[in-house]
Amino acid sequence: MSPQKKLLIPVSTRRKAVDDFFPFNSLPVECQLHVLSFLNEFDKCSCALVCLSWSCLVRSWKLWRVADYSRRGAFHLGQEGLLVSNREFERWKSWVHHYTHHLVSRRASLLTLKASFDLGDRCNKWSELLSHLLDNIHCRDLSHLDLNWTFTLFEPLDLRVHSSSSSHQDSITKMDQVTSFQELLGKLTHSCPRISKMRLHFDWSDLSVSLLTRFQQLRILELKYFWVFKLVTPSTLQTLTKSLPNLKSLTLHILVPLRNLGISYTLESKSLEFLDVSPSRGLVFSCLNLPALRELRAKKIVRGITLDRRTRLRIQSRWPCLYHVLQQGTPKLQALNNERLLPTWREKSYGELTAILEQSCYCVQHLDSWLW
């Protein structure tokens, strides 16, 4: 006996039923754009293939708010550090240029820009690519910048090796990186004055500090070290923090060179509420004027270089105890190294904080012997 045939439903009836169930096209355009804004780039491109109306929606600049050049999932290359071939790298470069053309053609209005390019690379000219992007999109509303300008993602190891491995060649490469970075930072000051969150390597030159202080809307700032042996002067650091009136969170990666041991720093900010200097090495504060600070993270990092007792004591005698610095300059401090402080911690002996201070204070009272 043949199976019973199902009744055929007219196409018009089916379309009407679908429209009744999911009346997406009946929503206002702004609502449709808001719904599509939750999709990633790949899904947006897939939606553009559904119908003509969706294709027009996806082309709207309002849907392209994020430019993320650091995505790894598109190539399934696994975790960072995985060796890749030259062929895979060329494929990734092709994707970068197509992605840039895609953003420019849609006149994207960016809120977030994430990238990792060696701006000193004269062959691939990543600096010119980013400049071209900023010149041809809407970026006045850009609020989040995450930029590693010292390293290119997925670059094979053999392409990173220069023709000459001398220190002179390394210095030239770093100078190219700094020059391109400063040019890009200058462009950002004019094109993207509303950046409120910034994470990038920093060279601590006078020009770069001057450019960075122009971002008056900065609320969250993380500065990683660019060159290990680059000295950050106390006046430079103080100038930077005093010039950013809306700064709430600051993370510093500073490596103080051995020749500059004994130098201590002053930090002043009326708005800063969170300070993390735990990634830094040899960063010692002589004075803090942070009336709004609520949380501090600081860690004493051992480098493995042994100093004789006389040299060590001579250096340590120049540094004040972190407890007294905090007692005088942070009236609203509530947490130190993720440990909650009692409201009366300033009124009692710092003996209660000894365990915490031994991990973060360089002074003689908290270090009987140490390695640098």
Side-chain angles (χ1 to χ4, degrees):
M1 184 176 180
S2 61
Q4 185 178 2
K5 295 183 178 180
K6 295 182 179 180
L7 296 177
L8 297 178
I9 301 176
V11 175
S12 59
T13 306
R14 281 184 291 174
R15 287 179 178 174
K16 186 176 185 304
V18 172
D19 291 340
D20 292 340
F21 179 74
F22 184 61
F24 182 80
N25 292 334
S26 300
L27 296 174
V29 175
E30 293 298 327
C31 294
Q32 296 181 39
L33 291 174
H34 181 70
V35 172
L36 294 177
S37 66
F38 292 96
L39 302 178
N40 57 37
E41 288 87 347
F42 180 81
D43 291 336
K44 289 175 187 175
C45 293
S46 298
C47 289
L49 303 176
V50 173
C51 61
L52 181 60
S53 62
W54 281 31
S55 177
C56 294
L57 282 174
V58 172
R59 292 179 183 275
S60 173
W61 58 268
K62 296 181 179 180
L63 287 182
W64 302 98
R65 310 289 268 173
V66 177
D68 188 357
Y69 289 94
S70 60
R71 293 186 295 116
R72 298 177 175 84
F75 298 92
H76 309 287
L77 293 179
Q79 301 178 353
E80 184 177 358
L82 181 65
L83 298 180
V84 297
S85 65
N86 293 343
R87 181 178 179 181
E88 290 170 328
F89 180 62
E90 292 298 326
R91 177 170 167 254
W92 179 79
K93 285 197 322 184
S94 177
W95 171 83
V96 168
H97 289 282
H98 280 89
Y99 185 45
T100 303
H101 175 75
H102 182 82
L103 294 171
V104 170
S105 63
R106 280 156 178 75
R107 297 291 291 175
S109 179
L110 296 185
L111 295 178
T112 301
L113 174 59
K114 298 181 179 180
S116 181
F117 296 121
D118 180 1
L119 297 189
D121 189 339
R122 299 180 179 181
C123 177
N124 294 298
K125 300 180 180 180
W126 301 118
S127 179
E128 295 182 9
L129 181 139
L130 290 178
S131 296
H132 172 71
L133 175 69
L134 295 176
D135 288 336
N136 292 277
I137 61 172
H138 300 282
C139 52
R140 296 288 297 180
D141 295 330
L142 186 71
S143 61
H144 181 192
L145 175 67
D146 190 340
L147 177 64
N148 181 347
W149 47 275
T150 68
F151 173 77
T152 301
L153 284 177
F154 303 132
E155 186 175 20
L157 292 177
D158 56 340
L159 294 183
R160 301 176 197 168
V161 178
H162 305 290
S163 58
S164 173
S165 59
S166 64
S167 59
H168 176 68
Q169 179 65 33
D170 292 339
S171 299
I172 294 177
T173 301
K174 291 184 179 297
M175 290 171 59
D176 291 339
Q177 290 175 332
V178 171
T179 301
S180 298
F181 165 68
Q182 292 174 345
E183 293 176 356
L184 182 63
L185 193 61
K187 182 180 291 291
L188 288 169
T189 59
H190 296 92
S191 304
C192 319
R194 301 176 184 175
I195 295 179
S196 60
K197 182 178 181 181
M198 188 178 293
R199 181 172 178 263
L200 73 168
H201 292 73
F202 201 60
D203 66 303
W204 290 102
S205 64
D206 292 338
L207 177 57
S208 296
V209 172
S210 175
L211 292 172
L212 189 59
T213 56
R214 298 182 187 180
F215 296 96
Q216 293 292 289
Q217 302 301 319
L218 269 179
R219 296 175 60 86
I220 301 175
L221 178 62
E222 180 177 354
L223 298 179
K224 296 187 175 183
Y225 68 84
F226 162 63
W227 207 340
V228 174
F229 303 107
K230 174 66 175 178
L231 171 63
V232 181
T233 62
S235 59
T236 300
L237 183 58
Q238 186 177 7
T239 299
L240 178 63
T241 54
K242 288 179 63 176
S243 302
L244 299 174
N246 296 299
L247 191 63
K248 299 294 183 182
S249 174
L250 176 63
T251 302
L252 294 174
H253 301 237
I254 295 178
L255 278 65
V256 179
L258 289 176
R259 65 178 182 274
N260 300 117
L261 285 180
I263 295 179
S264 55
Y265 294 79
T266 299
L267 206 60
E268 183 176 352
S269 173
K270 295 181 179 180
S271 60
L272 194 63
E273 297 180 359
F274 173 81
L275 176 62
D276 185 2
V277 295
S278 57
S280 300
R281 297 184 180 183
L283 184 62
V284 179
F285 294 111
S286 59
C287 179
L288 292 176
N289 185 9
L290 306 174
L293 189 69
R294 298 182 181 275
E295 183 176 356
L296 170 67
R297 296 178 185 174
K299 185 177 182 181
K300 177 180 58 188
I301 299 181
V302 175
R303 287 181 117 177
I305 300 177
T306 306
L307 299 179
D308 59 84
R309 179 177 177 81
R310 181 178 179 181
T311 303
R312 172 176 55 82
L313 292 177
R314 185 173 68 251
I315 295 173
Q316 288 177 271
S317 63
R318 305 177 187 176
W319 292 337
C321 177
L322 180 61
Y323 173 80
H324 298 298
V325 174
L326 296 177
Q327 188 181 36
Q328 298 173 7
T330 59
K332 294 185 179 180
L333 188 65
Q334 299 176 357
L336 176 60
N337 290 343
N338 297 321
E339 295 289 341
R340 194 74 176 177
L341 301 178
L342 296 176
T344 58
W345 70 270
R346 297 175 189 80
E347 304 170 2
K348 300 181 180 180
S349 171
Y350 59 79
E352 299 180 2
L353 302 178
T354 300
I356 303 177
L357 291 173
E358 286 181 349
Q359 302 174 4
S360 53
C361 183
Y362 287 94
C363 79
V364 179
Q365 301 179 62
H366 297 101
L367 279 174
D368 295 331
S369 62
W370 55 289
L371 296 177
W372 182 256

